[in-house]
Amino acid sequence: MTTLTFDRSAASNSAMGAQFDGDGTNFALFSDHAERVELCLFDEAGTETRLDLPHMEGGVWYGYLPGIYPGQRYGYRVHGPYAPQEGHRFNPNKLLIDPYARQLTGAVEWNDAVFGYDVSTGDDLTFDERDSAPYVPKCFVTDPAYDWDFDRALFTPWRETVIYEAHVRGLTMLRDDVPQDMRGTFAGLASDPMIEHLHKIGVTAIELLPVQAFLQDNHLIDKGLSNYWGYNTLNFFAPERRYLKTGEWGEIKEAINRFHKAGIEVILDVVYNHTAEGSELGPTLSFRGIDNLSYYLHGDDPRHCYDTTGTGNTVNVAHPMVLRMVLDSLRHWVEEMHVDGFRFDLASTLGREATGFEREGSFFAAIRQDPVLSRVKLIAEPWDIGDGGYQVGGFPWPFREWNDKFRDDTRAFWRRQGGQKGKLAERLSGSPVQFDHSNRPATSSVNFVAAHDGFTLWDVVSFNDKHNMANGENNNDGHNNNLSDNMGVEGLSEDPEIIARRMRRVRAMLSTLMLSRGVPMMLAGDELGNSQDGNNNAYCQDNEIGWTRWDNAERSELIETLARLSDLRKVHPLLQETNFACETSVTWRGPDGSQMTEATWGDDDAPLLMDIASDEDRLIVIINGGDDAVVDLPDGGWTIAFVSEPETATLDGASLKVGWQTVVVVKLA
């Protein structure tokens, strides 16, 4: 490599990471406790050139190198005290990934050299002198230029939003009409067959499991498994390369561009609560070696990470420069990649202050005032495993929240658990106990009956118990309280009668989801009757267990059910109401048409009627969780607008016959 000299007059600390300006690249890295920072450049043969960053202000080390262009590989070595008992774990023998790297090459190879201590001893107070560079991904200088062809954010109103949670790889691996070389990539995700399918079922936003670069866990590799879901982030800016057909990040931009032209938003599931480095016994790959004390939370003993995530560490978003990194990452995905929003994994962790969870904390306040981030869709997974971590309903506007109460109460009602009618009415109403406060709208609740974590919807009606033996943990992992019911046979069945019963209940649950106030979210494959063979924790199953199966012909009628429900939501704004205190009135009625009494609320076998009316429209949603029934409708001329189980409802004047476990919607003629 030719001799390189920093241009001191062109150096800047205004932007972090590697910033290419057309003539060269400015490098900037934050480390408040470092004593020296080396920029390490690699040529195509892997030869390393080390240069000390010449400037430091406020803990930001920086320098400008002329003649460094996109494609240049680099990393850092950071010098400072190795004093674990004081929280410092600097080790310049370890090549470190730039937290702001836009692209990475290669994967972490599990070698003892990637640990800052002598891992063979198990003692993190020891110091390891082996060079980790051969085993660590290199960062890439990138050029952000891309012709967006006048792409604009869609800003679909929350009241019109229908979310489809999917895995970039798993969604298309078994889709025959997607070209083989595109399956499992962003190119396949945004292919014509997929966009056509999403249009048919009324999807307005696709929510993707993590696409930021993540680590393949060593313990899974030893078992012949892999980290499939990706909740183990290695870098907050760089994309996961295996989702790219050519390895170039422009593929993501092209996919988002295609989705936007089709009227579909893209939401990313992001993991800013922890990183892939794990506890103090984990590898030194990036943050730990750059400035362990700044980037991670520590308890009373700074030697140990403070863990509220169950992964070994917690990102210290209370530190202003770490918070800046997270916000810069979010803005990068919005401004450079044009994503439309984020779902924050274990979001309670991001709201933790010195006194515990704080809904007015620095992270939420920073996003709410940000002119870019406050405008996109923001969804919280409102819990973590720490004390006081369950915070459903506790997040500030404009955040929306995953509502697991909707999932649990809907499943319990339809499996005829008993005593659930009042709870289901709460969910149909938008869960006002949780969300009707602080001027929050009904769309604060993201309703779902199945998500990536847990049983698929078909498995909810096919298995009483989890079947996770393929995960190699003796079936000890995953939830035990699935609120499921196999309807007579444990596991998948070819019995037409069993299939018909299961179809009936799945249709009823999907109908409940789409007819409730709030934002409906479906799990990819639930419209196909997709099964994971009873595995309710398929995080490590990058195979046909975890992939979406498109060949369930006998259950394809579910697609038509969702299509009809989506059309119904579009035609009747009553089903999209956002305000709890609104002109739209809701009256709860019993099967005789009169308003509910204490007796009818307690009658598990009697249908529940939700009478929704405005000056322009009126609908009645009939929820029959029991056996065949007859319902007397209020006075008026009614017609059937929707039946979850076709040909099981008949209307004779004001008398409606409803089949067992069926949802019906009637409207004024």
Side-chain angles (χ1 to χ4, degrees):
M1 185 174 288
T2 59
T3 302
L4 297 169
T5 303
F6 285 102
D7 182 346
R8 291 178 175 268
S9 65
S12 172
N13 62 5
S14 62
M16 306 299 295
Q19 302 291 328
F20 173 66
D21 65 2
D23 296 313
T25 301
N26 192 83
F27 295 89
L29 179 76
F30 171 74
S31 178
D32 206 28
H33 299 96
E35 297 169 353
R36 175 184 162 208
V37 174
E38 289 181 296
L39 171 65
C40 306
L41 303 177
F42 295 85
D43 62 19
E44 292 184 3
T47 302
E48 179 181 359
T49 300
R50 304 184 188 183
L51 302 129
D52 280 13
L53 288 177
H55 308 283
M56 193 278 284
E57 294 180 18
V60 177
W61 301 77
Y62 62 104
Y64 179 89
L65 274 177
I68 297 298
Y69 297 98
Q72 173 65 58
R73 303 179 185 189
Y74 74 98
Y76 290 107
R77 297 181 187 271
V78 182
H79 298 254
Y82 188 81
Q85 291 171 317
E86 299 172 17
H88 298 306
R89 295 182 179 272
F90 295 100
N91 187 336
N93 299 296
K94 311 304 168 185
L95 184 72
L96 305 173
I97 297 169
D98 180 3
Y100 278 75
R102 266 45 173 191
Q103 193 165 337
L104 302 178
T105 180
V108 173
E109 295 183 34
W110 284 100
N111 184 282
D112 287 354
V114 301
F115 293 85
Y117 65 99
D118 184 351
V119 70
S120 66
T121 68
D123 182 1
D124 65 298
L125 298 180
T126 59
F127 184 81
D128 189 88
E129 297 183 352
R130 286 170 288 189
D131 183 10
S132 69
Y135 313 106
V136 176
K138 310 304 184 290
C139 310
F140 265 75
V141 176
T142 60
D143 184 352
Y146 178 80
D147 182 5
W148 277 104
D149 191 26
F150 303 106
D151 178 71
R152 294 289 184 271
L154 298 177
F155 295 117
T156 303
W158 277 109
R159 67 179 180 273
E160 299 174 9
T161 298
V162 177
I163 298 174
Y164 187 83
E165 190 198 26
H167 190 286
V168 172
R169 179 168 165 80
L171 187 62
T172 59
M173 287 300 291
L174 300 176
R175 178 94 190 200
D176 291 341
D177 55 359
V178 173
Q180 183 72 46
D181 63 340
M182 292 169 59
R183 296 177 196 171
T185 70
F186 272 93
L189 185 75
S191 62
D192 289 342
M194 287 310 312
I195 288 176
E196 181 182 353
H197 175 74
L198 296 179
H199 276 165
K200 185 168 186 177
I201 59 176
V203 169
T204 69
I206 186 167
E207 180 178 308
L208 302 175
L209 269 66
V211 303
Q212 295 167 330
F214 57 86
L215 182 70
Q216 288 297 330
D217 309 69
N218 193 28
H219 75 277
L220 291 176
I221 294 173
D222 289 343
K223 295 178 183 178
L225 301 171
S226 66
N227 186 327
Y228 172 54
W229 286 350
Y231 291 93
N232 205 15
T233 311
L234 187 61
N235 183 276
F236 297 131
F237 291 79
E240 176 60 29
R241 284 180 62 85
R242 67 176 179 156
Y243 299 157
L244 305 176
K245 179 182 173 184
T246 65
E248 296 299 323
W249 68 331
E251 291 180 38
I252 302 178
K253 297 181 178 182
E254 176 62 26
I256 293 173
N257 203 356
R258 285 181 56 82
F259 276 124
H260 284 180
K261 288 180 179 179
I264 298 172
E265 294 183 306
V266 178
I267 299 171
L268 300 186
D269 196 333
V270 288
V271 188
Y272 293 109
N273 55 76
H274 74 279
T275 77
E277 289 182 304
S279 73
E280 62 275 2
L281 298 178
T284 295
L285 304 170
S286 183
F287 308 93
R288 174 163 292 128
I290 294 170
D291 191 348
N292 182 65
L293 199 58
S294 295
Y295 284 92
Y296 292 122
L297 277 179
H298 298 82
D300 295 334
D301 181 356
R303 174 183 174 184
H304 303 291
C305 292
Y306 182 65
D307 180 18
T308 64
T309 65
T311 62
N313 66 58
T314 303
V315 174
N316 184 18
V317 291
H319 190 291
M321 290 301 288
V322 179
L323 176 60
R324 173 183 169 181
M325 176 188 68
V326 172
L327 296 177
D328 284 347
S329 168
L330 292 168
R331 282 189 290 265
H332 159 73
W333 288 98
V334 172
E335 295 183 308
E336 290 191 31
M337 311 300 280
H338 286 206
V339 304
D340 303 280
F342 305 95
R343 179 265 192 188
F344 294 89
D345 179 65
L346 300 182
S348 293
T349 294
L350 301 174
R352 288 191 175 274
E353 305 281 324
T355 57
F357 177 82
E358 177 54 65
R359 71 189 307 267
E360 303 297 336
S362 57
F363 176 78
F364 303 128
I367 286 186
R368 293 176 72 186
Q369 62 78 42
D370 190 286
V372 173
L373 301 179
S374 61
R375 301 175 67 218
V376 302
K377 286 184 165 63
L378 304 169
I379 303 171
E381 182 185 35
W383 50 75
D384 65 18
I385 67 167
D387 290 340
Y390 187 77
Q391 291 291 332
V392 173
F395 284 72
W397 182 91
F399 279 82
R400 272 61 179 176
E401 303 175 34
W402 271 25
N403 186 357
D404 64 330
K405 292 183 181 296
F406 185 97
R407 176 198 63 198
D408 293 351
D409 291 343
T410 301
R411 290 186 184 185
F413 175 86
W414 285 108
R415 76 169 185 172
R416 306 183 73 164
Q417 184 167 304
Q420 302 298 311
K421 190 178 289 185
K423 293 181 179 179
L424 187 70
E426 283 278 319
R427 307 308 154 219
L428 289 163
S429 303
S431 299
V433 172
Q434 284 70 40
F435 298 107
D436 187 11
H437 61 82
S438 308
N439 298 315
R440 299 187 74 185
T443 52
S444 297
S445 177
V446 175
N447 302 326
F448 64 101
V449 285
H452 70 273
D453 187 4
F455 276 156
T456 68
L457 189 53
W458 193 258
D459 285 352
V460 169
V461 298
S462 304
F463 295 88
N464 285 345
D465 304 300
K466 65 185 182 183
H467 295 264
N468 296 355
M469 293 302 295
N471 295 354
E473 299 180 44
N474 295 317
N475 209 36
N476 291 319
D477 62 306
H479 302 295
N480 290 315
N481 183 28
N482 295 288
L483 295 168
S484 60
D485 174 13
N486 67 22
M487 305 190 74
V489 175
E490 182 71 2
L492 302 183
S493 172
E494 297 182 1
D495 185 330
E497 185 176 343
I498 294 292
I499 292 174
R501 290 206 299 264
R502 290 173 175 174
M503 283 283 287
R504 195 175 193 116
R505 186 169 291 177
V506 166
R507 283 197 186 101
M509 287 193 281
L510 287 174
S511 301
T512 306
L513 172 68
M514 297 295 285
L515 296 171
S516 296
R517 278 189 179 178
V519 180
M521 182 188 80
M522 67 187 82
L523 173 64
D526 280 352
E527 78 279 20
L528 309 168
N530 184 60
S531 173
Q532 292 177 171
D533 301 331
N535 191 318
N536 74 350
N537 189 30
Y539 77 103
C540 57
Q541 299 297 332
D542 188 5
N543 50 48
E544 292 196 14
I545 293 176
W547 299 341
T548 303
R549 304 171 187 176
W550 293 88
D551 59 353
N552 300 316
E554 75 278 8
R555 304 194 284 276
S556 62
E557 296 171 15
L558 295 173
I559 294 175
E560 300 303 325
T561 300
L562 275 171
R564 288 185 289 124
L565 286 163
S566 294
D567 289 343
L568 194 67
R569 285 177 62 88
K570 293 174 186 176
V571 172
H572 295 281
L574 284 173
L575 299 173
Q576 300 178 357
E577 183 57 62
T578 63
N579 297 319
F580 286 108
C582 62
E583 295 180 359
T584 299
S585 64
V586 177
T587 303
W588 297 101
R589 302 184 184 278
D592 63 355
S594 64
Q595 293 191 32
M596 295 286 285
T597 64
E598 184 175 349
T600 50
W601 278 117
D603 185 352
D604 292 327
D605 295 325
L608 174 67
L609 279 65
M610 181 172 68
D611 188 346
I612 321 170
S614 68
D615 292 339
E616 296 81 23
D617 198 7
R618 186 179 180 187
L619 297 173
I620 298 180
V621 179
I622 299 98
I623 306 288
N624 183 24
D627 298 327
D628 293 350
V630 176
V631 171
D632 294 325
L633 300 173
D635 292 337
W638 300 98
T639 61
I640 295 176
F642 171 82
V643 183
S644 63
E645 191 66 21
E647 301 180 5
T648 61
T650 56
L651 183 60
D652 182 7
S655 179
L656 176 71
K657 292 182 179 180
V658 185
W660 57 278
Q661 296 229 306
T662 298
V663 176
V664 181
V665 180
V666 297
K667 64 179 180 179
L668 283 176

